[in-house]
Amino acid sequence: MNQRPLSPHLQIWRWGPHMLVSILHRATGDGMALVGLGVLLWWLGSLASGPESYANFQYVMGSTVGMVVLVGLSWAFFTHMMSGLRHFVLDIGAGYELDINRTWSVAAPIIAILLTAAFWAVILLA
């Protein structure tokens, strides 16, 4: 029994940016599914309930807390999308070289932040 090899775990593996991107991919997917679905259902319900209900939705989403939720959802979307594109490239067999993998693992969250900022700049400045 003592001679059996152990499976690798976090005490053996060195932490890398690819691990962070993988964890962010899962967390943002869950966040969009839970929070995003809640916001979507509230929006649709307020549309169906009439102008007063929709005005209440607009008021809450226009508040500071609402804006944090909406910016967070858009960040989650862009982070999930960039990580998904990275995984797509890996799935076709490219990008496994250590330097390229590390570069795209670092670039994916940075690009997601830039896309989120650009998205909200277009919305708020239009």
Side-chain angles (χ1 to χ4, degrees):
M1 257 332 234
N2 292 337
Q3 301 301 323
R4 295 178 58 197
L6 294 175
S7 296
H9 49 78
L10 290 177
Q11 292 172 340
I12 293 174
W13 292 103
R14 234 180 52 182
W15 184 262
H18 59 285
M19 291 179 177
L20 174 65
V21 171
S22 178
I23 291 168
L24 279 176
H25 186 76
R26 294 165 195 253
T28 55
D30 290 344
M32 286 188 301
L34 297 174
V35 177
L37 182 62
V39 171
L40 176 66
L41 290 176
W42 184 23
W43 175 68
L44 289 173
S46 67
L47 275 174
S49 298
E52 294 167 3
S53 180
Y54 188 69
N56 183 40
F57 174 81
Q58 283 183 312
Y59 174 76
V60 173
M61 285 296 123
S63 70
T64 304
V65 172
M67 291 301 288
V68 167
V69 169
L70 292 176
V71 170
L73 281 172
S74 60
W75 170 80
F77 171 77
F78 288 118
T79 300
H80 197 78
M81 181 181 72
M82 292 310 302
S83 177
L85 289 173
R86 179 183 162 271
H87 279 283
F88 176 71
V89 170
L90 291 172
D91 287 344
I92 62 174
Y96 279 103
E97 298 79 15
L98 291 178
D99 290 337
I100 293 173
N101 194 339
R102 182 176 301 275
T103 299
W104 282 109
S105 295
V106 170
I110 293 171
I111 294 169
I113 291 170
L114 294 174
L115 287 172
T116 303
F119 175 76
W120 281 99
V122 168
I123 287 177
L124 295 175
L125 298 176

